[in-house]
Amino acid sequence: MNVTPGPTAVPPAVREAMAEPQPNPDLEAAFAERYDDVCTKLETIYDTSHDVVVPGGEGILGLEAAIASLVAPGDRVLCLSNGLYGDGFADFVESYDGEADLVSVAYDESYDLETIAAALEAADADGEPYTLATMVHCETPTGTLNDLEPVLDLLEDHDVVSVVDAVSSLGGTPVPTDRIDVCLGASQKCFSAPPGLTTAAISDRAWEAMEAREPPSLYTNFLPWQDVSDGFPYTHLSANVAALDVALDLLLEEGLEDVYARHETAAERCRERGAEMGLECYPDPERRSPTVTAFRLPGEAKRVQQRVADEENVVLATGLGDMADDILRVGHMGYNADLETVERAMDALEAVLE
């Protein structure tokens, strides 16, 4: 049983949709109609008036494409980080010859608003204001959910375009999408569809910035997706789009408020069971994501993960990077945000830790 923070387990109806014969995405109107339906459903889940696009490519495509589409050589970009994916945005900026100013704090701390405000003010005073700022809603490797609203307030005051990685939160907890210029998601997390699709809600201001930039790439470029009425930029992943279509139907039929409540309930139970075993969560209670729980197991995470898989047939995840052997993660997102699934996973963990 897979109880990781993505790719998540996929519901039977979604698997069945993927196995059906698919219309030709380059030639048949039926595919274009399905794609439009998917985008409309995503607008509801994003709760936004922004345009929504769904390029073919795993969620990392969206993170890179946002930078490739918006950053010209020499542009100053403010990269906010308290985790691995926040750090990664700076790497993307530098790979496209932008100037990344990384404002980071320890992975177990929240964004430092005073430092962010000072950086914005200093850039304006220097006459080289930031064109773009990046941040992460849910830092999956540490189970941390960042409060974006105060940061978005600062960015709006300085007229800075915002890019947010919401890959591991969208569909599991509310995201302030209408305040974000490019809000990124992916099929394989809270939507519980197979990996292979990026989702993005893009504001008019972001589109205008992309048009001024004229990105040189095709694949890592959102602009060709702005208007697909005459066809898609490249052959789309028709079976993946069919799977995502059904996955979104399941969320909307349940109702988003009920979906969010289900995630909160699953998260609370996971942490209750962990506390009973003497396990400590990584972030403080105010910043724990409802989609993933990270338990501290210094120097033991990989060994415990392997034993749970070998002895209990349950797949959990460790941390990433420098924390790969110090954090054990339980994913309760999407189809796995279910009390029975959480109990089974925590039973398996308890059996190994006894």
Side-chain angles (χ1 to χ4, degrees), residues 42-180:
L42 281 167
E43 288 172 7
T44 299
I45 291 170
Y46 270 107
D47 190 20
T48 188
S49 58
H50 294 345
D51 294 338
V52 173
V53 298
V54 185
E58 192 273 334
I60 288 292
L61 169 68
L63 276 62
E64 182 171 356
I67 301 305
S69 300
L70 288 165
V71 176
D75 282 350
R76 294 189 69 185
V77 180
L78 181 64
C79 299
L80 311 180
S81 178
N82 60 353
L84 190 69
Y85 286 100
D87 292 345
F89 266 126
D91 294 335
F92 281 134
V93 170
E94 291 173 355
S95 72
Y96 286 92
D97 297 322
E99 296 182 13
D101 287 353
L102 183 62
V103 175
S104 61
V105 294
Y107 285 9
D108 58 355
E109 296 180 9
S110 57
Y111 290 149
D112 186 334
L113 296 176
E114 290 185 3
T115 303
I116 295 168
L120 290 164
E121 290 164 7
D124 288 350
D126 290 343
E128 296 182 1
Y130 293 111
T131 59
L132 184 72
T134 64
M135 69 201 87
V136 177
H137 193 207
C138 174
E139 275 285 0
T140 327
T142 57
T144 300
L145 191 73
N146 287 311
D147 182 7
L148 301 182
E149 299 278 6
V151 180
L152 293 170
D153 288 341
L154 291 173
L155 298 181
E156 288 172 3
D157 289 343
H158 291 264
D159 197 28
V160 177
V161 173
S162 56
V163 171
V164 171
D165 169 0
V167 168
S168 295
S169 56
L170 183 67
T173 193
V175 181
T177 305
D178 265 352
R179 301 193 63 195
I180 299 166

Side-chain angles (χ1 to χ4, degrees), residues 178-260:
D178 265 352
R179 301 193 63 195
I180 299 166
D181 290 296
V182 180
C183 187
L184 302 163
S187 56
Q188 77 272 22
K189 299 288 189 174
C190 298
F191 297 153
S192 288
L197 298 176
T198 283
T199 71
I202 301 175
S203 72
D204 290 342
R205 181 169 69 157
W207 286 127
E208 291 169 4
M210 293 177 197
E211 289 165 357
R213 158 83 171 92
E214 295 185 359
S217 169
L218 171 67
Y219 199 74
T220 54
N221 183 354
F222 280 127
L223 264 181
W225 294 89
Q226 186 177 18
D227 182 0
V228 294
S229 58
D230 291 330
F232 296 93
Y234 45 81
T235 299
H236 216 319
L237 285 69
S238 53
N240 289 74
V241 173
L244 180 58
D245 190 23
V246 173
L248 298 176
D249 282 340
L250 295 176
L251 290 182
L252 294 171
E253 287 166 8
E254 183 178 355
L256 289 178
E257 292 303 319
D258 288 340
V259 170
Y260 299 153

